[in-house]
Every structure is written in structure tokens, then in C-alpha cells.
Amino acid sequence: RAFQFLVSTIKYVFFDWENFTTNYTHDYSVSKSGIKGTGTGFYNFWGITQNDENGPSRAFQLGFSSDVGPRAFSPNANTNLSDLYSEKNSIDFKTARPLWEGDKIDIKWNVNWSENKNVSLNADGFGNITITNTTATGSLTRSFLSLPPSLPFVESGIQKVFALYNPNAPDPRKSLSDAFVEGFETLPLLSSLPMFSDVNQYIPRANWRITWDGIEKILFFKSLADRISLDHAYSSTYTEGWKLTSEGNEEIQTQRIEYGFTPFAGLNITFGQVWGGNMNGSIKFSSRTTYDLGASTSNINETLSQDIGFTASFSKAGFDVPLFGVSLKNDVEFLISYTSTKNSVVRYEMNNFTEEGIPQDGTTRTTIEPRIKYTISSKVSLSIFYKRSTVEPEG
């Protein structure tokens, strides 16, 4: 029995998944100026022989070679040329599985990285080409896992970033950059393994969405509604942008971490027949947090957004309205919606750190709107509504 239980557990954890889908995209482009050939490359592409006077070679046009051929130059002056390179890579991986009857979880991973390079060249009067300057920039974006420190057993957060940051390190900027990633990551299991140390920055973390349908089948909810569903989704990304220094090293310029529950909990209810009509309702709570690191200022800005809202509607077909002595049977719908959104911005100075940070901005926006819609025909309808919005500053 113990062995059968072990086999069943392994099967449930590792093999009871639906289709695994993987997408990989690679884009690479090369652009070079000052080609000596006078042709467009048409004859080189379709012809049997290759001639530099006819323009770029077939291999260059197909992307198999970066050699564009001889470059033009002036015998009496220096000639400025340029080579442009652009490369983009994207990998997406996703799968799904049922957790129990009516419940399903979708899990996805993704990573994207790109590079743009501009090489400035100079051709002298003899056609000798030398590199005068090279500039390069790039970016990396991957799915991340960072949970709010308010949750139980979560040790990641801004305080851990400060604890890891060493302002007296030989390179304080790099120390803060490493602490930013390590301090906000929850469950850094892969980063602690030496075998992944060189590629850890390219390994995405899991994000998920859980959908639970059929809650109305539970005994407690059977008499409450015809259909009840619950949604929960988590997404997080880590983004960095870098540039090439004069020494030829990649220097990180910008770093951002985003995580959010969109929604943390979303409840959708479809009631049965009420007063001869249909009644629906939904309520959702969402939150999103963004951290931006200013490497030159050693400051981290936190942007927090929280939303809570609900909608309720009642619709009835064949609603009897007496008008001018004539009884009209048309459709009517009553709808009410409420939304409250809280936004705040807090700056944390890592060289003068406080747990509360320094509030920068903040607002709370509240909107409520009741509405009545009366449909006379497919071309004629009447809506009466009242909308109230308030914006209150924080602090």
C-alpha cells in the first residue's frame, strides 16, 4: 500500500498534466552601409555565379553570412560607415492540469532577451577599414516569483534587499543590483545551485492561474445560485536593461520587478430565476506592485495599486410597461457597479534606509454607477444612469 501510494503521488505530481506547449522565436537582422556594389543583389540571389558588383551575396541575403562584400571609400578623404546588428529571442512554456473536479490550474514560464549593437567604421583613402566606436544595449525579461512579505513564511522584500546590500563593497552599484534580484525573489531554489550559476538569470520562474467552476455543486451553495466560479491569477516579471561600457563590459542601467494578483480573488455568481428575471453578480480584488531601481541614485521606488470592485445586474425580458394606454412588453436591465482603486508611490533610499520609506504620491479613486437600461426594439433603447467619482489624495 505504501508503494502504491508513492507511485500514485509521483504520477499525480509529475505526469497528470495536459499538453506541454513550447514556443521559441529568434529574430536576427544585419544592416550595413556603404556597399561598393552597384546592383541590388537580385542577380546574386537568383544567379549561379556570385559577383560583388551585383550587390550583396546570396549568403548575406539569406542570413547565413554577415559579410556584405567590399565597402565603398573615397581616395581623397576618409569615409564613415556603420554596421547595425539586432537580435531578439523569446521562449514560452506552458502547461495545465486539473486539481480536482471543476478546478484547473494553468502554469507558464517565459523569458525574452535582446541586443542592439551599432559599430562605427572608418575607411581611409586606401580602403583600409578600422572600427572607431562600438555601442551596444540590451534587455532581459523573464517571469519571476516574488510574493508580498506580508504573507506567512515569506522572507523576500525591501528589507531583505537592504540586508543584502553592502555600500562598502568594492563595487557598491553591483552589490545593490545583485541584492535587488536576490532580495525580492521568493524561494530562490535554482539560484542556490552551483550548476545554474552561469544561466540562472535566464531561467524563468512559474506564474499561474487557477479557475474553479462548479462551486454551486457543493452542498452549502446548491440552493444559493445556479452557477458560481472563482478565479485567482498570479503574474510577475523581472526586467533589466544594460549597455556596453568603454571597457567592453555589460553594465546594468535599469532594473524592475513587478508582481500582482489579477485577481487575487474573483467571484462570479449567476442566480436562478428571481422575480421572473435573471440576476448576476461579481466581486474582484486585485493588487499590483512595482519596484524600480535607480542604479545611479541607489533609490528604489515602490508603486502599489489595489482595486476592489463589484457589479450586480438584474435583467428581465417581456417587462410590461403601460404607456399611453398601450401595454408594451420589452426588456429591462438594472445594473450597479462600484470600484475603489488605491495608488501610492514610496521611495526607499538604500543609503539612508527606513522601513516606512518616503511617500511621494498617492490617491484613492472611488466610482459608483447605478444604471437602468430599457430596450424598446433592436434599434431603440433608453438608458438612465447616475455616476459619481471621487479622488482623494493620500497623506
Side-chain angles (χ1 to χ4, degrees):
R1 290 181 179 179
F3 179 74
Q4 291 178 351
F5 176 77
L6 178 61
V7 171
S8 300
T9 302
I10 295 175
K11 179 177 179 295
Y12 178 82
V13 173
F14 295 102
F15 297 102
D16 285 351
W17 294 88
E18 298 179 1
N19 293 337
F20 292 86
T21 303
T22 304
N23 295 314
Y24 172 69
T25 303
H26 173 77
D27 296 326
Y28 184 72
S29 66
V30 179
S31 174
K32 298 191 175 186
S33 67
I35 301 174
K36 185 177 181 181
T38 57
T40 62
F42 179 84
Y43 293 105
N44 281 341
F45 188 86
W46 297 105
I48 298 176
T49 62
Q50 302 287 296
N51 190 337
D52 291 335
E53 293 297 326
N54 292 329
S57 65
R58 183 189 299 114
F60 179 85
Q61 296 180 64
L62 291 175
F64 297 141
S65 172
S66 59
D67 184 7
V68 75
R71 311 294 283 269
F73 66 94
S74 173
N76 301 320
N78 291 334
T79 304
N80 294 322
L81 307 171
S82 65
D83 293 352
L84 304 178
Y85 302 88
S86 176
E87 183 179 4
K88 296 180 181 179
N89 296 274
S90 175
I91 301 176
D92 297 314
F93 180 77
K94 60 183 179 180
T95 185
R97 65 166 299 157
L99 295 178
W100 53 80
E101 183 180 359
D103 192 26
K104 180 182 179 181
I105 182 171
D106 296 270
I107 303 179
K108 63 179 182 179
W109 301 258
N110 63 80
V111 58
N112 307 277
W113 69 96
S114 64
E115 180 180 357
N116 297 285
K117 184 164 64 173
N118 186 348
V119 181
S120 299
L121 308 171
N122 180 267
D124 61 17
F126 298 99
N128 299 315
I129 298 177
T130 56
I131 297 176
T132 59
N133 186 39
T134 299
T135 60
T137 60
S139 64
L140 168 66
T141 301
R142 62 178 171 88
S143 55
F144 200 66
L145 179 60
S146 181
L147 299 176
S150 58
L151 296 178
F153 309 109
V154 175
E155 298 180 356
S156 58
I158 189 68
Q159 295 187 31
K160 186 176 180 180
V161 174
F162 174 70
L164 295 173
Y165 170 51
N166 182 12
N168 299 318
D171 189 350
R173 186 168 181 170
K174 186 179 185 305
S175 176
L176 180 56
S177 176
D178 295 340
F180 183 76
V181 181
E182 184 179 351
F184 279 116
E185 184 175 13
T186 304
L187 300 176
L189 300 178
L190 294 177
S191 58
S192 60
L193 299 177
M195 66 182 70
F196 296 115
S197 58
D198 295 333
V199 295
N200 178 60
Q201 63 175 338
Y202 294 99
I203 300 178
R205 275 53 167 175
N207 292 176
W208 62 84
R209 172 177 287 275
I210 299 176
T211 305
W212 186 6
D213 290 319
I215 301 179
E216 71 281 353
K217 298 178 182 179
I218 300 177
L219 182 63
F220 177 78
F221 298 104
K222 282 186 176 180
S223 60
L224 179 62
D226 286 349
R227 185 173 183 270
I228 303 177
S229 63
L230 184 66
D231 296 327
H232 167 79
Y234 172 83
S235 62
S236 178
T237 58
Y238 167 73
T239 304
E240 71 177 31
W242 57 267
K243 75 171 185 178
L244 199 66
T245 64
S246 58
E247 293 80 14
N249 300 320
E250 296 182 4
E251 184 180 77
I252 296 178
Q253 298 293 301
T254 60
Q255 288 178 275
R256 165 177 286 193
I257 289 175
E258 297 180 77
Y259 67 84
F261 298 93
T262 53
F264 182 81
L267 184 65
N268 304 286
I269 303 176
T270 301
F271 296 94
Q273 288 287 323
V274 179
W275 302 314
N278 299 316
M279 181 176 291
N280 301 295
S282 66
I283 182 170
K284 291 184 178 181
F285 172 73
S286 304
S287 68
R288 176 158 288 277
T289 306
T290 303
Y291 291 96
D292 290 283
L293 170 61
S296 59
T297 61
S298 300
N299 295 335
I300 297 177
N301 287 336
E302 176 195 69
T303 304
L304 174 65
S305 176
Q306 294 179 332
D307 303 271
I308 185 169
F310 73 85
T311 59
S313 65
F314 172 79
S315 60
K316 184 175 182 180
F319 191 74
D320 191 355
V321 177
L323 184 64
F324 303 115
V326 179
S327 182
L328 302 176
K329 293 184 179 296
N330 300 117
D331 300 338
V332 66
E333 181 180 11
F334 300 90
L335 176 70
I336 184 171
S337 61
Y338 170 85
T339 304
S340 178
T341 304
K342 180 180 179 180
N343 297 293
S344 64
V345 179
V346 178
R347 185 179 76 238
Y348 294 93
E349 298 180 351
M350 304 310 293
N351 292 326
N352 188 23
F353 182 78
T354 59
E355 295 183 6
E356 299 80 14
I358 304 174
Q360 302 297 298
D361 191 12
T363 59
T364 299
R365 179 184 295 272
T366 305
T367 303
I368 185 170
E369 179 181 353
R371 178 184 292 267
I372 301 175
K373 182 179 180 181
Y374 183 67
T375 304
I376 300 174
S377 66
S378 60
K379 296 183 178 180
V380 181
S381 63
L382 171 68
S383 292
I384 301 174
F385 66 93
Y386 170 81
K387 186 175 182 179
R388 174 183 173 87
S389 297
T390 61
V391 179
E392 298 179 1
E394 291 283 333

